[in-house]
Amino acid sequence: MTFEPAYPIATRTLDNGLRVVASPTPGIGLVAVNLWYDVGSRHESPDRQGFAHLFEHLMFQGSRHVEPGQHFALVQGHGGSLNATTSFDRTNYFDTVPRGALDLVLWLEADRMAYLEDVLTPQNFRTQVDVVGAERRQRMDNVPYGTAFELLLPLVFDADHPYGHLPIGVLAHLDEATLDEVSAFHARYYTPSNAVVTIAGDVTPDEAFAKADSYFGGIESRERPKRELADPLPPRREPVLRQEVQDVPTAAVWWAARLPADEGMSRELAAAVLAASILGDGETSRLHRRLVRADETATGVGVGVNTLIGGNSLGMVSARAASSVDPQAVVDAVGEELRRFAVEGPTGEEMERARAQAEREWLDEMATAAGRADALSGCALLQDDPGLLNQRLGLLQSLHADEVRTAGETWLLPALSAELRILPSGKGGDGQ
Amino acid sequence: MSTATIGTPPPVTPAGEWRFPRPQERRLDNGLRVLCLDCPGQHVVSVGAIVDVPLAAEPKAIEGVASLAAECLTQGAGGLDAEAFSDALAACGADMEASAGGDVFSVRLGVPSPWLERGLELLTMVLAQAALDPHEVGQRQRLRLEEIEQSLAYPTMVVGDRLNAEVFGSARLARPAGGSAETVAAIRRDDVAAFATGWLDPRRTVLVVVGDGVSRLAGGVLERTVGRWRPGEPEIAALPDEIVRVGTGTLVLVDWPGAAQAVVRLATPGITRADPRWAPLFVANYVLGGSFGSRLNTVLREQKGLTYGIGSGLDSSRTAGLLAIGASVRADAAAECVGEILSIVDAAHADGFTGDEIAGGVRAAVDSAPLGYERAEAVANRVEVLLAHRLPLDHVDLNLARMREVTAEGAHDVFADVVDPGAFTVVVAADAESQAEPLRALGRGPVQVVERPR
């Protein structure tokens, strides 16, 4: 069964180069405003890893007409929700509000796109460096296995590859950063032509374009930074294994693979996504059935894909060993299942289930104005085509089992070449 | 200096009146009460079977049996084994999960609307004909024991469990919802079956169906599916609610040598959601720690950079309420943060809140409703909360009306009346070598230092 509501999409580019996408849903009473800037951790210089994310924090420290903290207070104080995230390829700012607060949100976003540096002080800059340090410790350093992703990346990409480090970056680099660098970063990347704003929800496209023009239209046009993408890398062949001993409850293993870059409608990447789902998504997946159910050697397994534009996307496989299980048994079983998939490919039923699950995930993503706005910004900024949103399910439906098998063999199987093991330091021991 | 943007915030048009979706209610012949709530545009239908059985119904020696039953229900049912059943769910893009909460037991289903009838069939199999195969029960039990052991490595979980133990004394809420290693190990397959067959009964269950067009469900869909769930014999009477006394005032330091951060959590007696003072206390909490611009977050994050974020919230079950505050903070500043938190609470208790703060909190609470209930799942979850608290289904609207009436004086009166700053129980996971002494120096009585559980 195919169930695919198509969402209305209209686009306009303002004179200063800002791309505006509108997607109306009359009557819901809400509007989502979502900005993607074409800057992420892949743009950072090697001695400033983490700067794009620190910069995202500074965007909440006020701008020319907005006091520090006022952005959050105004949006939340009118019943809205807001936040921002920084990823490898982009930085994302999003607000969802009752429709009567749309002008307010556009004004707040425009003011910090136009004038950030006026109000930054050395003190609030340093405080945000501390806050980012606290964020890193809370999410990674004070959580068992929290640093696994960071340790894994340089195994699949070299450490100096744009995707060789995480957006959270290196705290020592941030300690050395200066306010001048903040101004230069804003001037370079936070230009109208380097951004997309999507306005989705209870507003007509004409209204959305007129309001976008009235708040953002006066912002000076600056040159859009040239998009530089790393060359695509072939799957990794030479094996690399890193082993760490940490204060964790049981052994766990991660693998990573270079996948095809996200080029909008890449069949190869879509096939790799379905292969990942069949291998490692949920209780019906092959790895769960083999390791958690049949062998009882693992307590959890997963395969995930991070779609990226800079030469390659990233695939990851993970397995947490049951206590007292030799992690080698886990490694062997994962290897067998990946090899078997590369030879046999998916069954017809597995294809149907993976498609149904993908359809369900898409409907979940589309269930909110914020979700629709985010997906549209992504298609518009990274692929220059918001209309791709309505073609995504069709692409998945059109894939053949043999394309999925081939993707498993070509792209996922080489994950076995980049392996990270985290072993427990032992109870009462002094893990590092 | 020329500016491309205007200098003052544009005016905000007040949001229109919003109301919680009206449920369409029916009772099927088997005694099952069904509530259907329409949510236009929500194509993943959210279904919940809410069973009126609290965790306190578990025999004490096998606590965790309700959670284990919840895990096992979806591991094979209606003649399908575990793998065939999960394949059947996945084939229609559905997921299903059961859980045992403090007040109610629930089985939740999410399913794309074209597959709703098939999803309800699978849900009926789980409710009426769960296999509870001994092999599956044993495997889930082992996984649950692993999970309990692994949770000891997470300071936030250890602190949360310890706080419940300190605060709730002998009540069921004091002990982990999923049981302890000892009680879970003591569960036998027949205990799981006895719990499931004893308590899961259409007469003590409400089925909530939320999504696009669900009030126009084709004739007979409910009768063909959940309508076939047969009641057990005899009907089990509802349990009387536990009387919960909330303990106060202890300060526990879980020694966590070398921790990268300290975890702090504080709680003091609050009120339950049914209390008419809920609305003013909710708005007061928004100002204290319930928003990014709250007093707690402004000081500890934005001014001092000690944490990535701190929040406070009103926790409520049917039988007890808490005001709880929690954060991960700089490893060497746990005591400083506890002192700062308590002095911010003291100030609110003594001096109350400004008119602007409360007006912002009221607008936030009232105007966020359409956003908070945008997803079908959020609406279904709220109905579950109302049922768990035995509140009427128009309670959301009633509560919003109360929110609109909250004033700075009213919020302060209730805050001062309910929150006793001296009654906070504090649990910290930090390196005792550096933090025990400064915690003692706060002057809040003895600091009980305990070893990190292993």
Side-chain angles (χ1 to χ4, degrees), chain B residues 10 71 97 107 127 160 173 176 183 187 189 200 236 244 262 264 268 277 299 330 372 418 430 436 438:
Chain B
E71 293 248 354
E97 191 179 38
V107 187
L127 292 166
L173 288 166
T183 60
I187 299 170
R189 186 264 168 192
L200 304 189
I236 298 172
V244 181
V264 302
T268 191
R277 297 171 298 173
V299 173
R330 212 175 66 200
V418 172

Side-chain angles (χ1 to χ4, degrees), chain A residues 105-355:
Chain A
V105 165
L106 294 173
W107 174 77
L108 287 164
E109 293 294 353
D111 203 58
R112 64 184 178 181
M113 182 189 284
Y115 318 107
L116 179 76
E117 55 272 35
D118 295 12
V119 298
L120 277 183
T121 64
Q123 193 194 339
N124 57 18
F125 176 64
R126 283 297 144 204
T127 302
Q128 288 307 309
V129 173
D130 288 344
V131 170
V132 169
E135 177 178 359
R136 187 198 151 89
R137 289 182 192 98
Q138 181 175 331
R139 293 191 165 167
M140 295 167 64
D141 302 325
N142 208 34
V143 181
Y145 318 103
T147 56
F149 194 10
E150 182 174 63
L151 295 167
L152 184 64
L153 275 179
L155 302 188
V156 64
F157 297 112
D158 290 336
D160 59 358
H161 186 279
Y163 297 143
H165 72 278
L166 281 183
I168 193 77
V170 178
L171 297 182
H173 292 182
L174 304 183
D175 281 334
E176 290 166 6
T178 65
L179 269 180
D180 286 346
E181 293 172 46
V182 175
S183 301
F185 196 87
H186 187 256
R188 177 159 186 206
Y189 293 113
Y190 280 70
T191 69
S193 59
N194 204 41
V196 165
V197 57
T198 300
I199 304 172
D202 202 352
V203 57
T204 66
D206 285 346
E207 257 182 292
F209 296 142
K211 285 180 191 291
D213 196 35
S214 85
Y215 290 103
F216 292 94
I219 300 174
E220 184 192 359
S221 172
R222 276 167 283 162
E223 194 188 345
R224 181 178 177 183
K226 189 171 175 297
R227 182 180 273 178
E228 288 169 7
L229 299 176
D231 290 332
L233 295 169
R236 188 173 186 103
R237 295 291 171 205
E238 62 287 11
V240 51
L241 164 66
R242 175 160 181 176
Q243 197 154 294
E244 292 275 317
V245 177
Q246 294 185 352
D247 180 11
V248 294
T250 70
V253 191
W254 284 261
W255 298 263
R258 302 164 184 164
L259 303 186
D262 185 6
E263 290 166 351
M265 290 292 280
S266 157
R267 294 185 71 85
E268 249 190 327
L269 178 59
V273 169
L274 271 199
S277 161
I278 291 165
L279 279 164
D281 184 13
E283 291 195 4
T284 61
S285 70
R286 290 193 176 192
L287 293 182
H288 178 88
R289 292 208 163 151
R290 170 71 190 272
L291 284 98
V292 180
R293 287 184 56 79
D295 295 357
E296 298 189 330
T297 51
T299 58
V301 290
V303 182
V305 173
N306 201 331
T307 60
L308 301 167
I309 62 168
N312 292 89
S313 293
L314 174 69
M316 279 196 301
V317 182
S318 64
R320 192 181 297 192
S323 54
S324 316
V325 164
D326 180 354
Q328 190 59 44
V330 169
V331 170
D332 292 344
V334 167
E336 277 175 37
E337 290 304 320
L338 261 58
R339 280 188 283 274
R340 187 165 71 89
F341 187 85
V343 174
E344 296 172 3
T347 66
E349 286 174 352
E350 283 176 323
M351 286 292 288
E352 282 313 305
R353 289 201 296 266
R355 288 191 186 114

Side-chain angles (χ1 to χ4, degrees), chain B residues 228-310:
Chain B
R228 300 192 172 192
W229 181 16
R230 303 296 358 138
E233 195 64 48
E235 185 172 8
I236 298 172
L239 288 179
D241 279 341
E242 262 191 318
I243 308 291
V244 181
R245 288 195 181 75
V246 179
T248 58
T250 54
L251 204 169
V252 178
L253 172 57
V254 183
D255 184 17
W256 210 286
Q261 253 182 341
V263 175
V264 302
R265 196 157 168 85
L266 303 82
T268 191
I271 54 179
T272 69
R273 197 174 281 279
D275 192 309
R277 297 171 298 173
W278 179 267
L281 192 64
F282 183 90
V283 175
N285 177 66
Y286 177 90
V287 177
L288 176 72
S291 52
F292 187 88
S294 70
R295 293 181 178 185
L296 286 169
N297 200 54
T298 298
V299 173
L300 275 88
R301 172 181 155 130
E302 292 297 289
Q303 291 171 8
K304 297 186 173 244
L306 292 169
T307 177
Y308 177 49
I310 176 165

Side-chain angles (χ1 to χ4, degrees), chain B residues 124-146:
Chain B
T124 308
M125 291 180 191
V126 159
L127 292 166
Q129 304 167 280
L132 303 175
D133 175 86
H135 171 74
E136 301 295 341
V137 174
Q139 187 165 73
R140 288 282 145 177
Q141 183 177 25
R142 284 190 293 280
L143 285 169
R144 179 73 197 111
L145 288 168
E146 290 261 0

